[in-house]
Amino acid sequence: MYNVKVIFFAIFALLAFNVIAEGTKARFNCVGKWYQKGPKGKRTVKREPKNYETEVADPKVLDEFVREFSSWSGGAFTCKKSRIGDNLYNVETNHVGDNKNDATNQVSEMQRIINAHKNDKVE
C-alpha cells in the first residue's frame, strides 16, 4: 500500500513539474480592419481576424500587455482581456486600412509586438 502511494505521489509531482515548466499559454485574437467598397460606392469596414497562441514566461506579463500594448505600438493597437476565457486577449487596430493587405500587415505587426514582449520580466 505504501508503494502505491509513493508511485501516485511521484506521478503527481512529475505532472505538476511539467505544467510549471511549460510557462503560461496565452491566446490573442488579433483583428485588422480595412475598408471595402460596395457596388454603390459605399465603404464598409471589414475585419481580418487571426488567432495567435504563444507561451509567456511570466503570467504577470499578460497584465502588462493590457496596460502597455498601445504605447508599444505607438498608439496603433489596443489590447483588452476577453470576457470569455482565461488568458484570452483581444488586440484590435485603431486605424482602418484601405485594403485587405493593410489589415494583414496590421495583424503581422501585432504578432511582432507580442513576440517582442512575451519574455519581458515584470517586477
Side-chain angles (χ1 to χ4, degrees), residues 28-58:
F28 295 90
N29 183 22
C30 301
V31 179
K33 296 178 184 174
W34 56 288
Y35 285 119
Q36 182 180 35
K37 283 191 178 181
K40 295 182 180 179
K42 183 181 177 189
R43 295 189 335 170
T44 57
V45 176
K46 295 290 186 179
R47 297 165 55 88
E48 185 72 24
K50 183 171 183 186
N51 294 325
Y52 181 65
E53 186 171 319
T54 187
E55 286 188 13
V56 294
D58 186 4

Side-chain angles (χ1 to χ4, degrees), residues 4-115:
V4 173
K5 288 181 183 179
V6 170
I7 290 172
F8 281 127
F9 179 75
I11 291 172
F12 179 72
L14 185 63
L15 289 174
F17 177 75
N18 285 339
V19 169
I20 292 170
E22 281 183 8
T24 303
K25 289 193 180 191
R27 295 179 306 162
F28 295 90
N29 183 22
C30 301
V31 179
K33 296 178 184 174
W34 56 288
Y35 285 119
Q36 182 180 35
K37 283 191 178 181
K40 295 182 180 179
K42 183 181 177 189
R43 295 189 335 170
T44 57
V45 176
K46 295 290 186 179
R47 297 165 55 88
E48 185 72 24
K50 183 171 183 186
N51 294 325
Y52 181 65
E53 186 171 319
T54 187
E55 286 188 13
V56 294
D58 186 4
K60 295 177 186 175
V61 171
L62 296 173
D63 294 332
E64 193 76 10
F65 271 106
V66 174
R67 284 193 304 273
E68 299 293 330
F69 206 91
S70 182
S71 64
W72 292 336
S73 65
F77 311 118
T78 56
C79 180
K80 296 178 183 172
K81 183 159 178 48
S82 177
R83 289 183 270 170
I84 27 180
D86 291 338
N87 298 335
L88 178 62
Y89 295 84
N90 296 323
V91 182
E92 276 196 19
T93 182
N94 294 330
H95 171 73
V96 180
D98 292 330
N99 55 38
K100 192 171 182 175
N101 288 337
D102 289 345
T104 304
N105 292 338
Q106 290 169 348
V107 170
S108 297
E109 182 66 15
M110 292 173 198
Q111 292 177 348
R112 187 195 65 76
I113 293 170
I114 291 168
N115 286 331

